[in-house]
Amino acid sequence: MNKLLRFTATAVISFVIYLLLTASLGLEEILFGIGVAVIAALLVGRFLPIRIGAINPVRIAKAIAYLPYFLWKMIEANVRLALVVVRPSLPIHPSIVEGRTGMKSGEGKLFLTSSITLTPGTLTVDVEDDRVFVHCVSAGDAEENHAEESILVPFEKRLRGVTE
């Protein structure tokens, strides 16, 4: 029964991602999406660490609520990085900063570090237990305010209900 639940969860998640990527609810897209989701679930479903208990409406709602915040942070970082490129006289202080995360699950750390890496100007370099090492193009704020407060905590607060 656990294999059937894992297969179903993988297929449903794949189907939702497919629909989000195509941004279409046409009959052909839905039918093709179901086919793609089933094939994806058959091929990679057993390799994905999907916990069935992690899939519930509250977590899905929190994940959807996280998206606007994440998109805003991406836009904000793009503007800051564009200013550095356009006006090279702006001071940059590239460095690697260390912070500690309170995320316990592997999925939580994955979402956190991926969010940081997808935000322009920052790149997660390494994760060791609860320590996260982030390369920042301009790390002045992160070094003064500690990386946890300026980089990790804003994402972590919003991701906690999604993965843990």
Side-chain angles (χ1 to χ4, degrees), residues 11 16 51 61 67 73-74 103 105 119 122 129 149 155:
V16 168
R51 295 183 330 225
L67 289 177
K73 289 307 241 181
M74 280 185 66
M103 303 296 259
S105 70
T119 305
T122 56
D129 299 321
E149 295 170 14
F155 287 115

Side-chain angles (χ1 to χ4, degrees), residues 27-139:
L27 180 61
E28 298 86 14
E29 290 293 341
I30 291 174
L31 293 175
F32 190 73
I34 291 171
V36 168
V38 168
I39 291 170
L42 288 171
L43 292 176
V44 299
R46 64 177 172 238
F47 302 113
L48 297 176
I50 296 175
R51 295 183 330 225
I52 303 306
I55 301 172
N56 67 48
V58 173
R59 288 179 185 225
I60 292 170
K62 288 183 178 185
I64 291 170
Y66 173 72
L67 289 177
Y69 173 78
F70 174 67
L71 291 174
W72 173 253
K73 289 307 241 181
M74 280 185 66
I75 292 168
E76 184 180 53
N78 271 299
V79 169
R80 267 190 276 122
L81 200 57
L83 286 173
V84 168
V85 171
V86 173
R87 296 183 9 207
S89 63
L90 286 176
I92 64 169
H93 305 286
S95 64
I96 295 177
V97 295
E98 176 185 351
R100 295 202 180 274
T101 178
M103 303 296 259
K104 301 295 181 210
S105 70
E107 295 91 357
K109 291 177 186 175
L110 175 68
F111 274 95
L112 175 66
T113 56
S114 295
S115 295
I116 291 168
T117 297
L118 289 171
T119 305
T122 56
L123 174 70
T124 305
V125 179
D126 196 12
V127 178
E128 293 178 3
D129 299 321
D130 67 339
R131 297 180 334 170
V132 179
F133 298 89
V134 179
H135 178 273
C136 302
V137 169
S138 184

